[in-house]
Structure formats: structure tokens, C-alpha cells
């Protein structure tokens, strides 16, 4: 069953591009933007990550952490972060364990062919560790701004 507003957010523990393990349970008392994206250095994922980077200052002012999660291996994630000067953590979920907990590893279809892939999704987790807002099948244009507006409303 997919996560819904008010659900306790599953704990994540993933390594990032700087070799640091990112654990959501270490963010007690802080809100979190957790966005799942399909593939590093592709047009949509690049636009989305860069938009979050641009919003990072404002998100930080309201006490939010941002973590991007991809099913890619760490070397492409590291190159992606360096190439676009992304300063927030990008985590590798190669096993799709975290994606499974968040319901973002889903069956997709392209030209009638079915396959498993990462659904572009974002979760806003409140200071209490509960899901405050969910965006599924995200359209990149204007998304970071919508997340910032929702996060600002959290207080």
C-alpha cells in the first residue's frame, strides 16, 4: 500500500556521493524533502536536481534537508553531482530497498513493453517524522517551487 499523508516515513540509510551514510532517523526535529529520480544526468532528472539546488537556500532557511535518491550506482551519481555542482546529498538505492518502502519502484510501460523502474516522486516529511505531502509521477517544471511552498506552509 502506498505511503499516504500522516503515515510514519520509513527510515532510510543510504550512502551519498561524499561517502557519508545518510540516515533519516538522524534528522530528528528536522523536516526532509526526499525525492526519487530515475537516472542521473538525463534531461528531466538534471532539471529537477538543479531546481532543488536553486531552492536549497530557501529550503535551508526553513530548516529542511534535501536528499535525492536514484537506483544508479555510486560512480554515475558522483559524476552527476560534480558536473552540476549539486551540494545536497544524492543517495544510491541500487538494491531498490528504500524505493520499495516508499512505493516508488513500480511497473512502468513504454511502447507496450512493461518493466520495473523508479517513479519520479517526492515526499515531504515533517519534523515529527510523518509524511506531510506526497507528489507522485512528478512533472519537473515548477515542482521545486511547489515543494518549497508546501514546506513553507509546514511552519
Amino acid at each position: 500500500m502506498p505511503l499516504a499523508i500522516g503515515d510514519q516515513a520509513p527510515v532510510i540509510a543510504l550512502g551519498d556521493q561524499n561517502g557519508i551514510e545518510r540516515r533519516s532517523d538522524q534528522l530528528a526535529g528536522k523536516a526532509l524533502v526526499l525525492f526519487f529520480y530515475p537516472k542521473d544526468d538525463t534531461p528531466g532528472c538534471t532539471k529537477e536536481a538543479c531546481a532543488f539546488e536553486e531552492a536549497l537556500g530557501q529550503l535551508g532557511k526553513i530548516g529542511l534537508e534535501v536528499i535525492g535518491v536514484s537506483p544508479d550506482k555510486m560512480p554515475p551519481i558522483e559524476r552527476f553531482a560534480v558536473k552540476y555542482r549539486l551540494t545536497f546529498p544524492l543517495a544510491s538505492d541500487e538494491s531498490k530497498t528504500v524505493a520499495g518502502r516508499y512505493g516508488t519502484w513500480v511497473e512502468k510501460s513504454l511502447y507496450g513493453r512493461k518493466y520495473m523502474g523508479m517513479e519520479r516522486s517526492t515526499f515531504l516529511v515533517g519534523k515529527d517524522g510523518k509524511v506531510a505531502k506526497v507528489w507522485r509521477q512528478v512533472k519537473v517544471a515548477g515542482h521545486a517551487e511547489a515543494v518549497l511552498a508546501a514546506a513553507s506552509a509546514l511552519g
Side-chain angles (χ1 to χ4, degrees):
M1 179 142 97
L3 281 178
I5 293 172
D7 289 349
Q8 187 67 38
V11 172
I12 68 159
L14 296 170
D16 76 3
Q17 76 270 28
N18 298 311
I20 298 169
E21 183 180 61
R22 299 297 173 162
R23 295 187 56 89
S24 59
D25 57 350
Q26 294 172 337
L27 299 174
K30 282 193 163 188
L32 171 67
V33 173
L34 187 62
F35 75 98
F36 292 83
Y37 64 99
K39 185 135 183 74
D40 294 295
D41 210 3
T42 57
C45 295
T46 298
K47 287 178 189 169
E48 182 179 28
C50 289
F52 276 116
E53 182 66 34
E54 286 178 28
L56 202 56
Q58 291 175 289
L59 290 166
K61 282 181 188 173
I62 56 176
L64 261 87
E65 297 286 329
V66 175
I67 301 176
V69 180
S70 165
D72 286 342
K73 294 180 181 187
M74 195 47 69
I77 290 174
E78 291 166 343
R79 288 191 298 271
F80 182 52
V82 168
K83 182 176 181 179
Y84 294 100
R85 297 185 179 113
L86 303 173
T87 59
F88 57 87
L90 294 175
S92 172
D93 186 19
E94 209 177 329
S95 69
K96 290 85 169 173
T97 303
V98 172
R101 289 183 192 139
Y102 278 82
T104 61
W105 189 250
V106 299
E107 184 177 87
K108 294 177 152 190
S109 179
L110 183 63
Y111 303 116
R113 185 180 71 86
K114 295 194 182 301
Y115 63 98
M116 295 300 290
M118 184 73 81
E119 176 185 71
R120 188 183 309 277
S121 302
T122 302
F123 297 84
L124 176 59
V125 179
K127 294 176 184 178
D128 59 0
K130 294 187 178 186
V131 176
K133 181 97 172 136
V134 178
W135 292 265
R136 296 233 177 236
Q137 298 179 348
V138 166
K139 302 294 181 225
V140 173
H143 179 59
E145 293 83 1
V147 171
L148 178 58
S152 296
L154 280 182

